[in-house]
Amino acid sequence: ALACVVVAALSARTAIRSSDWKDPETFFRRTFAAGGTSSRIGVNLAVIYAMRGEHAKAETILRKVLQVSPEYPLARNNLALALSAQGKTKEAEALFETATNSAGVEKGGHPTTSDAARHLARLRHQEKDDTAALGILDRALLDYPGNWELVRLQAEILRENKGPAAALPVVQDFVRKHWWHAGASITLGGLFLETDDLGRATSAFRHAS
C-alpha cells in the first residue's frame, strides 16, 4: 500500500514537472520562481524577455540575479543592454565601463568583457563622440586582439567618418591574419566595391564563398 502511495505521488510530480518543459520560457520561469536562482537560469529567462522587447521584465530578473552574484559578467552585460533599450543610458554606461575597465585578472578573458567594450563604444558613437568610441575599441583590441566584432565596429565608425578607404586597412589586416573568416572577407569585398575596385572586390567575395 505504501509503495502504491509513493508511486502515485511521484507520478503526479512527474506529470506536473513535465509541463515545465513545454517551452524554454516556461522552464526557466518556473525554475526561477521555485527557487532555482542560479545565475544561468536567470540570465536565460532575461534573454528570452529581451528578445521579445520586454526589457523591463529582463531588468527585474537580472537585478535579482545580481543580488546573488554581483560580479556575474553575463548578468551585468545583459542588464546594461536592457537598461540601454529603455533609455536608461547613464546606468547602462556605468555597467559597461565597469566591465571594460576591470583589471586583466578580473576579466579572465571572458568574452562578455569585450562585448561590454563594444556596446560602450556604440553608445559613444550614437552620442556622436567617435573619438571616445575609437579609443575604447583600441584599448579593447589590446586585450582581445583578433576580435572581429570589435574590428567590424571600428571599421564601421571609420567608414562613416572618413569613407570606405579609411576602413579598408583595418579590415584588410584582419583578413590577412584570419583568412578563414568569411564575414570579414565579405565586409572587405563590400569596401572594395565602394571604392570602385571591382577586381579586388570580386577576389574577396570569391574567397569568402
Side-chain angles (χ1 to χ4, degrees):
L2 179 59
C4 289
V5 170
V6 170
V7 168
L10 291 175
S11 297
R13 178 176 173 79
T14 300
I16 293 169
R17 184 59 178 164
S18 65
S19 68
D20 291 351
W21 294 85
K22 180 176 67 174
D23 55 58
E25 179 191 352
T26 300
F27 172 75
F28 294 133
R29 177 165 45 77
R30 290 184 181 177
T31 304
F32 195 73
T37 53
S38 77
S39 300
R40 177 66 67 179
I41 291 291
V43 169
N44 286 342
L45 179 58
V47 167
I48 289 172
Y49 287 142
M51 289 175 66
R52 290 207 308 243
E54 298 179 61
H55 300 292
K57 282 187 177 181
E59 177 189 348
T60 300
I61 295 294
L62 291 164
R63 287 193 188 281
K64 288 181 180 178
V65 171
L66 288 170
Q67 287 175 359
V68 179
S69 305
E71 301 303 319
Y72 187 46
L74 273 174
R76 293 173 66 84
N77 198 40
N78 280 283
L79 175 58
L81 290 172
L83 292 169
S84 180
Q86 296 175 80
K88 302 176 182 179
T89 54
K90 291 298 180 184
E91 189 178 357
E93 288 180 8
L95 285 167
F96 285 140
E97 284 177 347
T98 300
T100 303
N101 297 326
S102 61
V105 174
E106 293 174 338
K107 289 176 182 176
H110 203 291
T112 54
T113 308
S114 63
D115 286 345
R118 178 168 56 88
H119 291 310
L120 180 59
R122 190 169 288 284
L123 282 175
R124 293 286 181 260
H125 175 55
Q126 291 169 352
E127 295 166 355
K128 310 298 183 185
D129 189 354
D130 285 330
T131 299
L134 291 170
I136 291 166
L137 292 170
D138 285 338
R139 291 192 297 274
L141 283 166
L142 291 176
D143 291 322
Y144 301 94
N147 184 299
W148 170 240
E149 295 302 322
L150 295 174
V151 171
R152 180 165 62 178
L153 180 56
Q154 185 182 45
E156 178 186 324
I157 293 173
L158 288 170
R159 175 182 165 277
E160 288 184 17
N161 280 275
K162 300 178 181 178
L168 267 172
V170 172
V171 180
Q172 281 179 302
D173 182 62
F174 185 91
V175 170
R176 271 196 300 270
K177 296 173 182 175
H178 305 83
W179 57 267
W180 42 263
H181 199 293
S185 290
I186 291 169
T187 299
L188 181 61
L191 291 171
F192 280 135
L193 272 181
E194 290 189 61
T195 57
D196 294 324
D197 192 337
L198 300 183
R200 287 203 283 181
T202 300
S203 177
F205 289 138
R206 188 165 284 145
H207 178 70
S209 70

